[in-house]
Amino acid sequence: MLFEYKYGGNTNIINNSEQTAMSFAPDTLREPTFFVGKLDKKIPFREAISTLHHVVVSDLRFKPKDKTEYKAWAEKQEQIWLAEYMESFQIEEVKAKMLKVREELNESYKEGQKILAPFYKARGEYYNYLYEKDRDAWFVLDPVITVHPDEVFFECFSQDESTYGKLSCSYNVFKEINEFECGTTNVDYSATLYNEFQKIRNYKETDFKIDPSGFEVQTTNEDSYKEVKIDLPDTWVRGFLQVSSAMTLPSTTLDLHPMDIFSLCQFLRRFKEKKSPRSLRFVLEPNQPIKIIIEPWNKEMIFHCSIYTGGESKEIRIWGRRRILILERLIPIAKNFKVVLLGTGLPSFFIAELESDMTFTLGLSGWTSNDWSRAGNFDLMAPRSEVDDFTKKTVFNALKQNWFESSASLARRLNLDDKTVSSALAAYTQAGRVIYDLKMGVYRVRELSKDPLPMDKLRFASEEEEKATSFIKNDGVQVEADTTNVVNKDGEKSERIVLKGRVRDRNTTYPTLVQIDNDERIVDASCECNFYKMNNLRKGACEHMLATRMYFNEMKMERV
């Protein structure tokens, strides 16, 4: 997928003994978005923006050793070893001839090294330049920055696409705001800025600017604009969309003291696991200290300063725990850490509530090697009742009036049903135009790209969803719907829809069971297919569960 950017110059930081000036160059191809102010909370901002950089450069995928040069050397050496072995069977004249040939080969190797030496040197210098001076050329995409009436927030993805980072800065972080225009843009974010950020000090005035002059396009000054075209893989875009969808799912939320995170990170630094399992087990008992068991050592850590306030006992396991070390730099400036767990093997979010009205959200996929694009069909587990295009546009336009608002508030303001509004917002979330704010519990306008994403190309995030659609088209789905009552942790009763389905897949019919809550979300499901037996719901719903749910939605529309 091709993304085009055009920057009015380069992002830069000017440091001197009295002042630090940060100027971010925005994408001039998008609607004007700018912000000009002076930082008040300098050190906390420096630590938070540096942590965001750690997310960008994070890549914990397994990297096998490059043995290309060794194999080439071994292939040549094998001939020499074979010749040396055969020498004992040859006459003296042959030995002398082989010695002469070997000397000629060595001379050829030396000459080749001499001729190619300038090339190898230039290549090494080029790679060093990229790494030290223009490291962003090694990465996929410039960060996304959004200006809202109450805050400015940055978003980024790690190189392995398994870690999501979001830094939200309230306007209280600034002591002076000169001008701003709400919107979303990509900013030219060179990796050399990381070293410049380290020079921010309390005693120096710090200007923060998303440069509004970048939008003053002058044809005569066209050469000063930098055009960038990046061919992004679909996995990157899907990953961003899956993060937004996962944020809206039912979850277990708990609070951890900063010292609890410090203890956990210290243990992970001291010990390196050499065998599986490599999970963290959250053992949660109502009104009891939160307990974490670190496998494979089964080391118990009891956080006496952090009490679980939920209404039922739970045990939740998450993997890819070493990515939590990204939070280390935030511990000294954090007031509290909020942990949002979607379930065993599912994504999790660590929200650092920082001093000075800043929030850092770290989103982790189920496993390090299981990136967000492959983590599952979380967008399909979100509210998905059918909403007509006119109603969806009405909801989105109403949200854009205030830029952020809860679904309940929007429903009251528009005099619409809560489910309709939630489903409309979910559709825009899955299209990359809206994001859910976990801390405040509101939806925010955030246009991921300047042009609408090609949802026909991104329509099927996985083979499971595509297969589910084909089952329905081939009349291979039967569904019976019923209702049941459940009691939540507060003792309140709520109603769930229970779907019993039969899905014909080739010559086999699979029975399915899907439970949907009042918010049109899948909260529990089961199937007899191999995908479910291997993964349960850790990778989202299988194609048979999805077909059951999608067919039920069609049944509802037909009744209307």
Side-chain angles (χ1 to χ4, degrees), residues 375-393:
N377 304 309
F378 302 116
D379 54 338
L380 298 178
M381 297 173 71
R384 285 178 71 92
S385 60
E386 295 295 334
V387 181
D388 61 88
D389 291 339
F390 177 78
T391 302
K392 285 193 289 190
K393 289 181 180 179

Side-chain angles (χ1 to χ4, degrees), residues 127-327:
Y127 286 144
N128 289 336
Y129 171 80
L130 281 181
Y131 190 77
E132 298 295 337
K133 303 296 183 182
D134 194 19
R135 199 177 306 175
D136 53 328
W138 292 67
F139 307 137
V140 176
L141 186 68
D142 291 318
V144 179
I145 187 171
T146 303
V147 179
H148 269 208
D150 63 328
E151 69 178 29
V152 178
F153 58 91
F154 296 83
E155 295 177 274
C156 68
F157 244 10
S158 64
Q159 287 191 73
D160 56 15
E161 299 180 8
S162 72
T163 308
Y164 163 84
K166 175 174 176 259
L167 171 61
S168 302
C169 301
S170 166
Y171 283 176
N172 292 332
V173 175
F174 306 90
K175 63 181 179 181
E176 179 182 325
I177 300 175
N178 296 324
E179 55 181 332
F180 68 89
E181 181 68 32
C182 294
T184 300
T185 185
N186 293 87
V187 294
D188 175 43
Y189 186 82
S190 173
T192 55
L193 289 179
Y194 174 76
N195 295 327
E196 296 299 323
F197 283 138
Q198 312 314 304
K199 301 176 183 178
I200 297 177
R201 298 292 185 271
N202 272 332
Y203 60 82
K204 293 194 291 187
E205 197 70 43
T206 302
D207 295 329
F208 182 91
K209 180 188 297 184
I210 303 170
D211 192 5
S213 65
F215 296 98
E216 298 174 2
V217 181
Q218 298 179 5
T219 306
T220 57
N221 195 32
E222 187 69 24
D223 292 339
S224 66
Y225 285 79
K226 182 177 69 174
E227 295 190 23
V228 182
K229 293 184 180 180
I230 300 177
D231 189 9
L232 282 176
D234 291 346
T235 57
W236 194 96
V237 182
R238 286 199 195 103
F240 231 117
L241 303 183
Q242 292 292 343
V243 170
S244 301
S245 297
M247 288 180 176
T248 66
L249 296 179
S251 61
T252 299
T253 304
L254 49 101
D255 293 305
L256 291 180
H257 191 275
M259 285 305 298
D260 299 334
I261 296 293
F262 171 77
S263 300
L264 178 59
C265 291
Q266 185 184 45
F267 185 91
L268 295 177
R269 287 288 186 193
R270 291 177 58 196
F271 299 97
K272 176 69 174 179
E273 63 281 352
K274 296 183 180 179
K275 61 179 182 179
S276 59
R278 299 178 175 89
S279 69
L280 288 181
R281 290 165 52 196
F282 287 81
V283 181
L284 309 175
E285 297 289 343
N287 302 318
Q288 296 295 320
I290 295 170
K291 181 170 68 174
I292 291 181
I293 299 176
I294 307 176
E295 297 177 318
W297 306 281
N298 290 325
K299 166 69 176 178
E300 290 188 0
M301 301 184 72
I302 300 177
F303 302 140
H304 295 283
C305 295
S306 304
I307 306 299
Y308 176 59
T309 57
E312 58 180 318
S313 301
K314 293 183 179 181
E315 183 172 316
I316 300 175
R317 300 172 72 189
I318 63 173
W319 282 262
R321 62 195 180 198
R322 292 207 168 268
R323 293 171 293 171
I324 298 174
L325 295 174
I326 293 174
L327 299 172

Side-chain angles (χ1 to χ4, degrees), residues 537-548:
L537 289 176
R538 290 190 294 272
K539 292 187 178 180
C542 69
E543 61 263 33
H544 310 109
M545 301 175 193
L546 298 180
T548 302

Side-chain angles (χ1 to χ4, degrees), residues 336-535:
N336 182 59
F337 284 89
K338 190 178 296 293
V339 183
V340 179
L341 304 173
L342 301 188
T344 295
L346 295 176
S348 56
F349 296 90
F350 289 76
I351 305 172
E353 299 175 356
L354 310 178
E355 300 174 0
S356 314
D357 297 292
M358 287 190 294
T359 302
F360 189 95
T361 302
L362 183 70
L364 308 177
S365 60
W367 292 269
T368 303
S369 59
N370 187 8
D371 59 48
W372 279 98
S373 66
R374 295 180 294 144
N377 304 309
F378 302 116
D379 54 338
L380 298 178
M381 297 173 71
R384 285 178 71 92
S385 60
E386 295 295 334
V387 181
D388 61 88
D389 291 339
F390 177 78
T391 302
K392 285 193 289 190
K393 289 181 180 179
T394 300
V395 172
F396 181 73
N397 291 334
L399 178 65
K400 202 164 185 179
Q401 291 176 359
N402 299 329
W403 290 94
F404 65 94
E405 196 168 352
S406 67
S407 59
S409 175
L410 270 174
R412 290 193 298 270
R413 185 153 65 91
L414 298 175
N415 196 25
L416 292 173
D417 182 67
D418 285 350
K419 294 180 182 179
T420 301
V421 173
S422 296
S423 296
L425 292 173
Y428 279 101
T429 299
Q430 293 151 22
R433 306 187 68 182
V434 170
I435 186 174
Y436 185 71
D437 189 329
L438 278 171
K439 181 185 177 183
M440 297 184 62
V442 298
Y443 288 88
R444 293 182 178 273
V445 176
R446 190 265 280 126
E447 302 275 4
L448 188 57
S449 64
K450 63 182 178 66
D451 300 317
L453 294 173
M455 297 311 296
D456 54 339
K457 185 178 180 181
L458 298 171
R459 176 63 185 90
F460 300 116
S462 67
E463 295 181 3
E464 285 74 28
E465 183 179 359
E466 188 172 5
K467 290 177 181 177
T469 304
S470 68
F471 296 151
I472 297 176
K473 288 183 178 179
N474 296 330
D475 296 326
V477 183
Q478 297 177 355
V479 177
E480 295 180 2
D482 199 358
T483 59
T484 184
N485 292 320
V486 296
V487 180
N488 62 18
K489 62 182 181 181
D490 298 323
E492 300 176 349
K493 289 185 178 180
S494 61
E495 190 177 79
R496 286 185 182 177
I497 299 174
V498 180
L499 306 179
K500 296 181 180 179
R502 294 179 62 82
V503 181
R504 187 174 68 252
D505 185 355
R506 294 188 178 90
N507 298 324
T508 306
T509 299
Y510 295 98
T512 61
L513 184 66
V514 179
Q515 294 189 30
I516 302 174
D517 68 4
N518 286 330
D519 294 324
E520 298 287 339
R521 296 177 294 197
I522 294 179
V523 292
D524 196 10
S526 63
C527 183
E528 293 186 3
C529 68
N530 186 62
F531 181 89
Y532 175 77
K533 291 178 180 178
M534 294 291 292
N535 304 294

